[in-house]
């Protein structure tokens, strides 16, 4: 099975801590125009509490936001509680690295980031753990890196 990206690039992105270095690595792999737009559009917020659903799915930094809906006339003191949830849809992705289909729920933002990265495997491998912002995503990344290391060791 021939993959279009190298293990060295994937492992390098796992340990990157500086945003500047991460953007530079993306520029080398994906070209300057795409990497700058990815850095701007596909970074998680990394703040606030994280729900259990978010840990089991790929939300890409999106959160459930709580607030109040106010009356239209602005003079009325009537406020009603409201919550805004991200647009989450069920999807099945084919992982070339793992050799299986992965079914999960993702936000539409993550689907755009997957398209920009050039596929599901590239998105998972090239996105920092902080930006994946879910235990499910980090676990997938660890599995993929392990499989790539085993394939590289078998090739030698």
């Amino acid at each position: 099975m021939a993959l279009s990206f190298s293990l060295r690039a994937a492992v390098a992105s796992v340990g990157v801590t500086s945003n500047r270095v991460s953007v530079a690595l993306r520029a080398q792999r994906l070209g300057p125009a795409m990497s700058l737009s990815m850095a701007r559009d596909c970074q998680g917020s990394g703040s606030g509490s994280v729900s259990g659903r978010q840990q089991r799915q790929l939300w890409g930094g999106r959160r459930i936001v709580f607030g109040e809906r106010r009356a239209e006339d602005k003079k009325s003191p009537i406020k009603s509680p409201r919550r805004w949830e991200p647009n989450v849809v069920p999807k099945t992705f084919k992982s070339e690295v793992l050799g299986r289909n992965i079914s999960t729920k993702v936000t539409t933002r993550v689907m755009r980031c997957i398209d920009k990265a050039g596929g599901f495997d590239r998105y998972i491998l090239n996105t920092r753990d902080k930006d994946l912002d879910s235990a499910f995503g980090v676990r997938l990344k660890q599995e993929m890196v392990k499989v790539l290391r085993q394939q590289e060791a078998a090739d030698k």
Side-chain angles (χ1 to χ4, degrees):
M1 174 186 300
L3 299 174
S4 58
F5 50 93
S6 68
L7 173 64
R8 187 175 300 126
V11 173
S13 70
V14 173
V16 172
T17 56
S18 169
N19 190 27
R20 213 175 266 162
V21 173
S22 177
V23 170
L25 283 172
R26 287 185 180 132
Q28 287 176 353
R29 285 189 301 262
L30 303 172
M34 188 167 196
S35 67
L36 291 177
S37 67
M38 256 183 89
R40 211 176 21 252
D41 296 338
C42 297
Q43 289 184 350
S45 62
S47 63
S49 63
V50 179
S51 69
R53 281 191 293 170
Q54 185 177 353
Q55 287 297 314
R56 294 185 302 271
Q57 302 166 1
L58 294 173
W59 283 16
R62 294 292 189 216
R63 302 260 192 268
I64 297 174
V65 179
F66 298 91
E68 298 169 336
R69 178 180 291 140
R70 295 179 183 242
E72 295 232 0
D73 62 359
K74 304 287 185 198
K75 295 179 183 175
S76 174
I78 298 174
K79 298 181 216 175
S80 55
R82 168 102 163 66
R83 65 190 247 169
W84 290 268
E85 295 188 6
N87 187 7
V88 180
V89 293
K91 287 298 253 186
T92 300
F93 297 101
K94 170 92 172 103
S95 174
E96 295 175 3
V97 174
L98 297 176
R100 62 185 166 103
N101 290 334
I102 297 169
S103 296
T104 185
K105 290 185 179 179
V106 297
T107 60
T108 52
R109 176 178 188 250
V110 169
M111 289 194 304
R112 284 191 306 272
C113 290
I114 289 171
D115 288 341
K116 285 183 181 182
F120 182 71
D121 292 334
R122 284 186 178 208
Y123 169 73
I124 294 293
L125 288 169
N126 295 331
T127 305
R128 296 182 300 171
D129 293 352
K130 175 183 157 191
D131 295 336
L132 281 175
D133 206 19
S134 80
F136 174 71
V138 172
R139 192 171 64 246
L140 269 177
K141 184 182 217 173
Q142 290 169 349
E143 281 182 50
M144 288 181 183
V145 169
K146 182 179 176 183
V147 168
L148 287 173
R149 282 189 180 144
Q150 290 172 350
Q151 287 177 353
E152 191 171 89
D155 290 341
K156 287 185 179 181

